[in-house]
């Protein structure tokens, strides 16, 4: 958390083009001139060791993680019809092979359209390249209807057919040209045999170990690069270096988490972009900066009780409970009714009489008996359905003979994957939370009791903070100050890009500065970014150029470097922090403001 120093009067403004004149400013972005690097933490290897990648939009990513103690997963997103990664393990004909993984899509970049995220089990002959005929067993775990911000498990089991010498576990993204979003894979496993505690034969199944290759081989201090970008001395707005961003991937750039912002905090961001005439970035490409948000702290692990399985009594309502306390930082609890199966099993489960009590109070769940709404496809009022499309479902079902306590309807989960419904409630860290529901599995009917490894129960997932919506780039015909179509940029000229943002009431998150290009239809070209500044306009009563919560002689040295006199529009990099009256220069009026606020040598 950044220390605030002396806080000035806060003036609330909306997203605009220029910063408002405030009492004091503090620079919160490090290495904004992109001069320093490589250094510790600079390199960003994006290739996972021991995996073979295929397609241009698959990488080892730090943006999501499922494995306890880890920090990476495999990420894929829209590009070719199929992209992904695979790994081969030796097997013999007749071996029972099981492969599994957990998959995830973010609410800030969810799957849309016809995008799907799969795992697949394949078998190959002794040459390692010829697939055994018909030996391809895929499972679509996520699609556009899947829940975001939840790790969804998937598993496939099959006996190795004749001629098998290798089993291949594949993580694959598919689309047919009308999709956006991204998906993540983690905790991948492949086992051979029957029984508990079988060893995972995959190497680096959690993607924590980096391989050789990937972008940003040198690194730029304090920044994290993604995709096609590296430090360059070709051209610079300030100093000798900038970052060069190309079109090898649909999105490329670099970002930096700056500071924690709370309600009323006012941030001004600026970067300069340069489109060279020698290799311009044209076509439909967009050049811009984004303001993204990172939740404060690590999301606590969920609590779950999958108490119903094939050994549970059929034809009776079984009470399933979770009693816990909201962990530190948690502000939201997601109450989940979950049915979990795989391709080797099926069955059905009914959920009814759901309750959630905070500190012993009344039930805070709406439509707790699933009576209201049309059912299916988010049609149960106040509940959000998640499912693997075409494989599983969790929908309202009425007028069956075993309805709980005589009510008309319940929520039914069935199929060969994961499905359920969820509802979110507000909590405070330390709250005592009691969650319960009644579950029923019938002994007869079109979908009888749970079979084999299928389970069902309840789950509590946590969210922290109140994260606002990202300030994204604009796409034509929209216009904004933080992005511009590449073909409208004046070649060989530095173009300013800005974001002026005030945090809304009730919001709290860490601000992230991102420079990026959206490739569009460009097959070639590049753009450069330099002279980035992130300045908090209400944190400090003065001008703090090095974010050390004072105004001293180091800041005065920077003031002298920035001094322009009354010549508007001539400020150098790092000088916005000294423009106290917001007139585009650093002159005697700014000096008077500065000298009266010196706090130490």
């Amino acid at each position: 958390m950044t220390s605030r120093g002396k806080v000035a009067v806060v003036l609330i403004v909306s997203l605009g083009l220029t910063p408002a004149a405030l009492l004091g400013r503090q620079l919160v972005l490090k290495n904004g001139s992109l001069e320093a690097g490589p250094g510790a933490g600079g390199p960003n290897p994006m290739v996972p060791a021991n995996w073979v990648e295929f397609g241009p939009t698959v990488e080892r990513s730090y943006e999501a993680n499922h494995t306890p103690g880890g920090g990476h997963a495999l990420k894929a997103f829209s590009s070719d019809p199929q992209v992904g990664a695979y790994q081969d393990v030796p097997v013999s004909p007749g071996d029972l092979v099981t492969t599994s993984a957990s998959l995830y899509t973010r609410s800030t970049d969810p799957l849309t359209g016809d995008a799907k995220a799969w795992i697949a089990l394949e078998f190959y002959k002794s040459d390692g390249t010829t697939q055994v005929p018909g030996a391809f067993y895929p499972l679509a775990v996520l699609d556009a209807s899947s829940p975001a911000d939840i790790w969804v498990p998937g598993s496939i089991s099959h006996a190795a057919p004749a001629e098998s010498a290798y089993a291949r576990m594949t993580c694959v993204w598919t689309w047919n040209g009308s999709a956006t979003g991204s998906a993540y894979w983690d905790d991948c496993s492949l086992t051979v045999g029957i029984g508990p505690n079988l060893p995972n034969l995959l190497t680096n199944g959690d993607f924590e170990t980096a391989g050789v290759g990937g972008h940003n081989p040198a690194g730029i201090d304090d920044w994290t690069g993604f995709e096609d970008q590296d430090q360059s001395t070709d051209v610079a707005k300030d100093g000798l270096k900038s970052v060069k961003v190309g079109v090898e991937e649909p999105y490329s750039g670099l970002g930096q988490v700056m500071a924690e912002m709370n309600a009323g905090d006012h941030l001004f961001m600026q970067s300069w972009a340069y489109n060279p005439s020698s290799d311009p970035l044209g076509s439909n490409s967009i050049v811009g900066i984004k303001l993204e948000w990172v939740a404060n702290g690590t999301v606590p692990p969920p609590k779950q009780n999958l108490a119903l399985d094939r050994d549970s009594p059929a034809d009776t309502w079984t009470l399933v409970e979770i009693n816990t306390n909201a962990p530190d930082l948690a502000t939201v609890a997601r109450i989940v009714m979950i049915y979990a199966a795989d391709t080797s099993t099926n069955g059905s489960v009914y959920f009814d009489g759901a309750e959630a009590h905070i500190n012993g109070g009344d039930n805070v769940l709406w439509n707790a008996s699933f009576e209201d709404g049309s059912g299916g496809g988010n049609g149960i009022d106040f509940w959000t359905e998640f499912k693997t499309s075409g494989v599983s479902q969790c929908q309202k079902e009425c007028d069956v003979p075993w309805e709980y306590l005589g009510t008309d309807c319940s929520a039914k989960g069935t199929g060969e994957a994961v499905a359920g419904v969820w509802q979110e409630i507000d909590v405070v860290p330390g709250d005592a939370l009691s969650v319960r529901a009644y579950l029923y599995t019938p002994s007869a009917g079109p979908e009888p009791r749970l079979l084999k490894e299928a389970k069902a129960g309840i789950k509590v997932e946590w969210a922290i903070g109140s994260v606002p919506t990202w300030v994204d780039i604009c796409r034509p015909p929209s216009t904004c100050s933080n992005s511009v179509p590449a073909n409208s940029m004046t070649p060989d000229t530095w173009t300013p890009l800005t974001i002026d943002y005030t945090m809304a009431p009730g919001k709290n998150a860490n601000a992230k500065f991102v420079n990026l290009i959206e490739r569009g239809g460009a097959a070639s070209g590049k753009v450069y970014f330099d002279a980035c500044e992130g300045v908090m306009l209400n944190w400090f009563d003065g001008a703090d150029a090095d974010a050390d919560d004072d105004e001293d002689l180091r800041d005065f040295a920077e003031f002298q470097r920035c001094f322009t006199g009354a010549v508007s529009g001539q400020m150098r990099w790092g000088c916005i922090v000294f423009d106290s009256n917001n007139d585009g220069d650093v002159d005697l009026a700014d000096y008077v403001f500065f000298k009266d606020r010196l706090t130490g040598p």
Side-chain angles (χ1 to χ4, degrees):
M1 180 183 295
T2 303
S3 176
R4 298 300 179 89
K6 292 182 286 184
V7 179
V9 175
V10 179
L11 178 62
I12 304 297
V13 299
S14 62
L15 184 65
L17 300 182
T18 58
L22 301 174
L23 287 181
R25 305 180 174 197
Q26 185 173 58
L27 186 69
V28 292
L29 188 74
K30 300 177 182 178
N31 192 24
S33 185
L34 307 169
E35 300 297 302
N44 182 30
M46 305 182 76
V47 175
N50 302 106
W51 290 84
V52 178
E53 295 183 348
F54 56 93
T57 53
V58 59
E59 64 192 30
R60 174 177 173 265
S61 173
Y62 62 88
E63 296 171 334
N65 174 68
H66 179 258
T67 308
H72 292 83
L74 184 75
K75 176 185 178 182
F77 49 99
S78 55
S79 174
D80 294 0
Q82 293 188 12
V83 300
Y86 66 85
Q87 188 173 148
D88 292 342
V89 170
V91 296
S92 300
D95 285 344
L96 178 63
V97 180
T98 301
T99 189
S100 64
S102 292
L103 283 74
Y104 182 94
T105 184
R106 295 187 299 167
S107 58
T108 52
D109 189 25
L111 301 184
T112 67
D114 57 17
K116 292 184 179 181
W118 309 67
I119 60 173
L121 176 60
E122 305 171 64
F123 293 94
Y124 283 79
K125 296 182 180 181
S126 58
D127 61 6
T129 59
T130 303
Q131 188 182 83
V132 176
F136 175 62
Y137 308 98
L139 172 65
V141 181
L142 299 180
D143 64 10
S145 68
S146 300
D149 304 325
I150 294 175
W151 284 98
V152 179
S155 180
I156 305 168
S157 293
H158 205 280
E163 302 185 89
S164 296
Y166 297 95
R168 173 172 296 180
M169 193 279 181
T170 305
C171 306
V172 60
W173 156 291
T174 64
W175 74 316
N176 294 317
S178 60
T180 59
S182 58
Y184 302 80
W185 291 256
D186 207 347
D187 199 20
C188 295
S189 173
L190 188 149
T191 61
V192 174
I194 300 174
N197 304 318
L198 293 173
N200 181 11
L201 301 181
L202 295 179
T203 303
N204 194 28
D206 56 5
F207 303 101
E208 296 308 311
T209 304
V212 178
H215 301 298
N216 194 17
I220 301 173
D221 286 5
D222 302 303
W223 294 85
T224 298
F226 56 94
E227 308 300 2
D228 183 8
Q229 52 74 45
D230 59 82
Q231 195 177 61
S232 173
T233 57
D234 294 346
V235 63
K237 171 69 174 173
D238 182 83
L240 301 176
K241 299 176 183 178
S242 62
V243 61
K244 177 173 65 177
V245 184
V247 297
E248 183 176 328
E249 313 287 353
Y251 295 91
S252 297
L254 77 173
Q256 181 182 148
V257 178
M258 294 180 292
E260 180 184 353
M261 291 183 63
N262 294 282
D265 283 345
H266 189 177
L267 170 68
F268 183 73
M269 296 165 51
Q270 178 172 277
S271 182
W272 295 77
Y274 183 99
N275 197 15
S277 59
S278 58
D279 185 17
L281 183 68
S283 188
N284 297 320
S285 300
I286 307 295
V287 177
I289 61 175
K290 290 174 64 177
L291 174 56
E292 297 182 357
W293 302 102
V294 179
N296 297 318
T298 302
V299 177
K303 298 284 187 179
Q304 69 178 22
N305 183 5
L306 301 183
L308 210 69
D309 58 22
R310 65 177 178 177
D311 297 322
S312 300
D315 303 327
T316 185
W317 286 98
T318 300
L319 178 63
V320 180
E321 297 182 279
I322 293 177
N323 293 292
T324 187
N325 291 89
D328 290 345
L329 305 179
T331 57
V332 171
R334 175 175 288 182
I335 311 303
V336 186
M337 309 288 117
I338 186 169
Y339 163 88
D342 57 39
T343 55
S344 67
T345 186
N346 55 35
S348 63
V349 171
Y350 294 79
F351 302 88
D352 214 335
E355 298 180 20
H357 302 269
I358 299 175
N359 298 323
D362 294 336
N363 185 12
V364 294
L365 295 179
W366 294 87
N367 193 20
S369 191
F370 308 102
E371 301 300 305
D372 301 324
S374 58
N378 300 322
I380 306 177
D381 290 353
F382 302 106
W383 294 87
T384 299
E385 178 189 339
F386 62 94
K387 61 180 180 178
T388 302
S389 181
V391 178
S392 287
Q393 62 181 2
C394 189
Q395 301 178 349
K396 188 173 77 170
E397 184 157 319
C398 303
D399 301 323
V400 293
W402 47 76
E403 291 306 328
Y404 173 65
L405 297 181
T407 55
D408 292 332
C409 303
S410 58
K412 174 187 175 183
T414 187
E416 298 178 345
V418 177
V421 290
W422 57 264
Q423 182 177 150
E424 291 185 343
I425 60 175
D426 294 331
V427 296
V428 174
D431 277 348
L433 179 62
S434 175
V435 180
R436 64 182 63 189
Y438 286 87
L439 278 68
Y440 185 105
T441 182
S443 60
E447 293 107 7
R449 65 186 299 165
L450 294 174
L451 301 176
K452 297 185 179 179
E453 300 304 318
K455 295 178 181 293
I458 58 177
K459 186 177 182 181
V460 180
E461 298 172 341
W462 309 103
I464 59 176
S466 183
V467 179
T469 303
W470 292 1
V471 180
D472 208 342
I473 58 176
C474 291
R475 297 170 177 85
S478 299
T479 59
C480 57
S481 64
N482 68 310
S483 53
V484 60
N487 55 16
S488 68
M489 297 175 68
T490 303
D492 301 330
T493 301
W494 287 99
T495 300
L497 304 168
T498 62
I499 292 175
D500 188 1
Y501 188 91
T502 298
M503 185 71 93
K507 301 296 182 180
N508 168 267
N510 293 307
K512 184 178 181 180
F513 193 125
V514 180
N515 294 289
L516 85 163
I517 62 171
E518 181 181 75
R519 181 179 64 188
S524 62
K526 57 181 177 285
V527 72
Y528 298 84
F529 292 96
D530 200 2
C532 308
E533 295 179 75
V535 179
M536 294 301 305
L537 303 183
N538 66 297
W539 275 16
F540 190 78
D541 183 15
D544 180 12
D546 54 5
D548 63 350
D549 294 310
D550 62 24
E551 185 186 289
D552 56 16
L553 293 180
R554 293 185 180 88
D555 299 302
F556 182 59
E558 286 298 299
F559 180 92
Q560 294 179 85
R561 179 184 67 84
C562 290
F563 190 83
T564 62
V567 183
S568 181
Q570 300 300 310
M571 286 195 301
R572 298 173 59 185
W573 166 74
C575 299
I576 291 174
V577 71
F578 297 109
D579 185 12
S580 62
N581 55 4
N582 194 40
D583 61 354
D585 61 30
V586 180
D587 57 13
L588 290 177
D590 300 306
Y591 171 71
V592 171
F593 177 89
F594 180 87
K595 72 178 181 65
D596 291 339
R597 289 164 174 79
L598 278 170
T599 59

